[in-house]
Amino acid sequence: MIYLSEQQILRIKKLDQLKLLGINPYPSEEYVVTNTICNIQKNFTEKGTISIAGRLMRLRILGKASFGEIKDHTGRMQIYFTQDHLFSSSYEMKKEEVYNIFLKKLIDIGDIIGVKGFLFKTKMDEMTIHVHQLTLLSKSIRPLPQVKMDKKNQKIYDAFSNTEQRYRMRYVDLIVNDHVKEIFLKRTRIIQQIRCFLNKKGYIEVDTPILHPIPGGAIARPFETYHNTLGIPLYLRIANELYLKKLIVGGFHGVYEFSRNFRNEGMDRFHNPEFTVLELYVAYKDYYWMMNFTEKLMKCIFNKFQKKENHHISFKTPFPRISILDSIKKYTGFDLKEMKKEELRKVCKKLHIEENIKMSKAKLIENIFEEKCEKNYINPTFIIDYPIEMSPLTKRHRYQENLSERFELIINGKEIANAYSELNDPIDQLDRLREQMKLSKKNESISLDLDFIRALEFGMPPTAGIGIGIDRLVMLMTQKKTIQEVLLFPQMRTEKKGKK
């Protein structure tokens, strides 16, 4: 049984009253809009008639005159109604009924309306539309949260600020919290800027499959599904890396994809089960080249979107470069270069870091770095030259056999990007993947993609690749502390029964 509040019941009764008056509360006809609020405010003139549409956010009835506020996709504006001048050509109602019955008794805050009228400024010098024609475009049967602002004391009351409600009902969050929309507009502009930057370099945007026959390209637990016609299990993409490298084998020089990835793992303020990554692969390059390229890309984004907002992070180039083992030694005092797995476990115990016998050497090193080192890198820093055990898809270091040509970009204490000189030796790659399969934990998945090995056997040119976490990058550029703030619809726990 669906619970209806008193307000909902009243609004549903108004629906019936509207229909009795011959008013369709959800009309099909196009409503002609001549202006947006932003355009009106930028080019204000008291000449001519304008028509706009939007959501009624405020309504104050004052006898024969009333004030309200309408919100469209560009902003908010005051509207003004008077009994003598309000009519509607859309409905068969007497002039006085439009104001006294339609507006005063049947229109509610939250309704989507169309208004036509002329512009003027009030005695308080506020731009206002004097409405002479009112049209109901969509009746709202749930009341909006009424956020109140004490302008004198600069205080907000009854704000829609509960985080669970905001994330679960993002549509309400966007209606009542104007600043939220700006986060997602900025996210779109950041992606557009990256796309423009890459396109100017001549790199090609591509699409690769989301449904994979085997999970590959990263060590992670996948989401599994089943294809009825083929009679086979399929896995939601955990990474698109292998497909993009197959395209490099096929002759593309540079390819990229804004990839929606899925990992059946934990959730916290930096992780969501589905997330967006930019993956880029460029032939005949290495990780040194990619570091220089990444500096240019990051500086371009920072200069456009955050330079004036965040002064505690410096994007001055070149970014510092430090090996992961040197970083660990600097912040823990332990030199891990020659340590075996059991010695690493002892180090973890001394540092009070999670460890167990099932963890691989790579996982232990990763845990130490993430717990003790990562948080110290506020300005953009390249952490380079990871132990070979940590990087199964990466070329061995040209000077040190036990290291790999890999870097991670850390900004504000979190990983933003991960990049390699891509391994293109099919024999070494096969051996490395087999070794990883032996070491992987039960709740992680790394599979042997024989088609990828076959592709490498045809020959892949030396290639540099990078993955940039778009969600974390947007967090950085919008100064948000949780990934949920920059996802329109973050994954949520099942809503408890009885919640409205």
Side-chain angles (χ1 to χ4, degrees):
M1 184 176 178
I2 299 175
Y3 170 80
L4 295 177
S5 68
E6 184 179 346
Q7 280 282 340
Q8 285 175 273
I9 292 169
L10 287 173
R11 291 192 180 204
I12 290 171
K13 286 181 179 178
K14 290 181 183 182
L15 282 178
D16 295 332
Q17 291 176 291
L18 287 163
K19 291 172 184 176
L20 286 173
L21 290 169
I23 299 172
N24 183 353
Y26 305 103
S28 303
E29 298 82 6
E30 175 192 7
Y31 186 83
V32 177
V33 174
T34 62
N35 299 79
T36 64
I37 290 172
C38 180
N39 182 257
I40 291 169
Q41 291 169 339
K42 284 182 178 178
N43 305 288
F44 180 81
T45 175
E46 295 187 348
K47 296 179 181 179
T49 300
I50 59 99
S51 173
I52 66 170
R55 192 180 295 274
L56 184 64
M57 299 301 294
R58 195 166 48 81
L59 182 60
R60 190 158 57 103
I61 303 294
L62 301 170
K64 293 184 179 181
S66 301
F67 283 93
E69 183 182 59
I70 189 172
K71 176 183 178 181
D72 72 0
H73 65 286
T74 66
R76 296 177 181 233
M77 191 168 188
Q78 182 166 270
I79 51 179
Y80 176 63
F81 307 92
T82 60
Q83 180 177 299
D84 294 337
H85 294 92
L86 183 63
F87 68 92
S88 177
S89 60
S90 303
Y91 313 128
E92 295 181 3
M93 301 176 71
K94 294 178 182 179
K95 186 175 169 182
E96 59 271 17
E97 290 178 332
V98 177
Y99 184 85
N100 291 312
I101 296 176
F102 184 45
L103 174 66
K104 291 176 71 173
K105 296 182 178 180
L106 301 178
I107 294 294
D108 290 298
I109 292 172
D111 289 352
I112 296 173
I113 59 174
V115 297
K116 291 181 182 179
F118 62 87
L119 297 170
F120 74 102
K121 286 191 177 182
T122 64
K123 292 179 181 179
M124 301 298 291
D125 202 37
E126 185 168 357
M127 287 181 278
T128 305
I129 303 172
H130 189 158
V131 181
H132 61 71
Q133 183 171 326
L134 172 65
T135 305
L136 178 62
L137 301 176
S138 182
K139 183 67 180 169
S140 168
I141 61 172
R142 276 186 183 265
L144 289 174
Q146 285 298 295
V147 182
K148 302 178 185 69
M149 175 70 180
D150 183 341
K151 293 183 179 179
K152 183 178 180 181
N153 299 312
Q154 293 297 302
K155 288 185 178 181
I156 296 174
Y157 299 94
D158 300 326
F160 187 66
S161 57
N162 179 279
T163 52
E164 182 179 347
Q165 284 186 320
R166 288 183 53 240
Y167 302 155
R168 194 180 300 281
M169 295 190 288
R170 183 68 84 188
Y171 38 89
V172 178
D173 192 26
L174 290 164
I175 293 170
V176 301
N177 294 323
D178 291 341
H179 67 280
V180 172
K181 186 177 180 181
E182 289 304 312
I183 297 170
F184 298 102
L185 291 176
K186 195 168 189 179
R187 179 188 176 106
T188 296
R189 291 193 290 267
I190 288 169
I191 291 173
Q192 289 172 340
Q193 180 74 7
I194 296 171
R195 183 175 277 118
C196 181
F197 187 91
L198 298 178
N199 288 346
K200 284 182 179 179
K201 301 291 182 184
Y203 306 142
I204 307 299
E205 185 172 8
V206 297
D207 294 311
T208 63
I210 289 177
L211 291 174
H212 291 189
I214 58 173
I219 301 174
R221 185 177 182 177
F223 288 94
E224 185 175 349
T225 185
Y226 187 83
H227 194 286
N228 292 326
T229 301
L230 294 177
I232 59 171
L234 291 173
Y235 304 88
L236 288 182
R237 173 170 61 198
I238 59 173
N240 61 342
E241 177 171 344
L242 304 188
Y243 281 97
L244 293 178
K245 287 195 276 193
K246 289 175 186 178
L247 295 179
I248 297 294
V249 171
F252 280 91
H253 170 67
V255 291
Y256 72 92
E257 180 178 17
F258 289 94
S259 172
R260 198 72 167 174
N261 294 347
F262 306 83
R263 297 185 183 179
N264 195 358
E265 298 177 339
M267 293 166 49
D268 58 34
R269 65 193 188 96
F270 293 107
H271 297 88
N272 194 65
E274 53 180 306
F275 56 97
T276 304
V277 175
L278 166 71
E279 294 264 1
L280 166 70
Y281 294 84
V282 184
Y284 307 109
K285 307 298 183 184
D286 63 9
Y287 84 136
Y288 291 115
W289 176 89
M290 187 60 82
M291 277 188 263
N292 295 332
F293 180 88
T294 303
E295 286 175 344
K296 294 172 187 175
L297 174 60
M298 289 296 158
K299 194 161 187 177
C300 171
I301 296 168
F302 176 76
N303 286 343
K304 189 168 183 66
F305 294 105
Q306 205 193 5
K307 192 172 184 179
K308 296 178 182 178
E309 300 174 19
N310 198 330
H311 301 289
H312 77 283
I313 297 177
S314 169
F315 277 71
K316 183 180 179 181
T317 55
F319 300 161
R321 303 177 184 188
I322 181 171
S323 79
I324 186 170
L325 296 181
D326 286 344
S327 175
I328 290 172
K329 185 176 181 180
K330 177 179 178 180
Y331 289 107
T332 70
F334 289 99
D335 187 345
L336 310 185
K337 288 179 183 176
E338 304 298 329
M339 284 192 183
K340 305 296 183 184
K341 179 178 172 179
E342 286 307 312
E343 293 175 293
L344 287 172
R345 288 186 62 202
K346 290 178 182 178
V347 170
C348 287
K349 287 177 181 178
K350 289 179 182 178
L351 295 173
H352 307 290
I353 293 171
E354 180 187 1
E355 60 79 31
N356 62 59
I357 196 168
K358 293 181 180 179
M359 286 186 183
S360 64
K361 184 178 176 181
K363 183 64 177 173
L364 294 168
I365 296 172
E366 180 183 344
N367 286 354
I368 294 170
F369 177 77
E370 288 181 353
E371 287 289 327
K372 298 299 180 181
C373 307
E374 196 172 56
K375 62 188 176 184
N376 297 293
Y377 297 104
I378 304 303
N379 292 331
T381 303
F382 291 122
I383 304 300
I384 65 172
D385 300 347
Y386 284 63
I388 199 73
E389 298 91 345
M390 299 180 74
S391 313
L393 297 166
T394 312
K395 274 193 171 181
R396 295 177 187 275
H397 201 283
R398 64 197 72 180
Y399 303 122
Q400 301 182 67
E401 182 73 8
N402 62 330
L403 300 180
S404 63
E405 295 196 349
R406 171 186 173 187
F407 72 79
E408 286 188 354
L409 175 62
I410 311 296
I411 309 177
N412 205 29
K414 293 306 294 183
E415 174 201 341
I416 299 295
N418 186 22
Y420 318 144
S421 292
E422 301 295 336
L423 180 56
N424 60 347
D425 178 341
I427 297 172
D428 189 13
Q429 182 66 91
L430 182 59
D431 291 341
R432 302 258 291 277
L433 288 176
R434 281 175 171 162
E435 183 63 25
Q436 282 294 316
M437 289 178 70
K438 293 177 185 177
L439 296 173
S440 63
K441 301 191 310 183
K442 288 183 179 179
N443 67 336
E444 292 177 337
S445 176
I446 185 163
S447 300
L448 189 56
D449 188 338
L450 292 176
D451 183 58
F452 174 61
I453 300 298
R454 179 169 59 189
L456 292 184
E457 288 172 347
F458 281 94
M460 184 176 82
T463 299
I466 189 169
I468 298 174
I470 295 299
D471 306 315
R472 288 189 181 180
L473 181 62
V474 175
M475 285 172 63
L476 177 69
M477 293 299 161
T478 57
Q479 298 180 303
K480 298 303 172 186
K481 294 182 179 180
T482 71
I483 194 171
Q484 289 80 13
E485 288 281 0
V486 300
L487 298 175
L488 278 168
F489 299 102
Q491 187 63 47
M492 303 292 293
R493 297 183 186 279
T494 303
E495 191 169 7
K496 293 179 180 178
K497 291 183 179 180
K499 287 210 171 188
K500 294 179 279 184

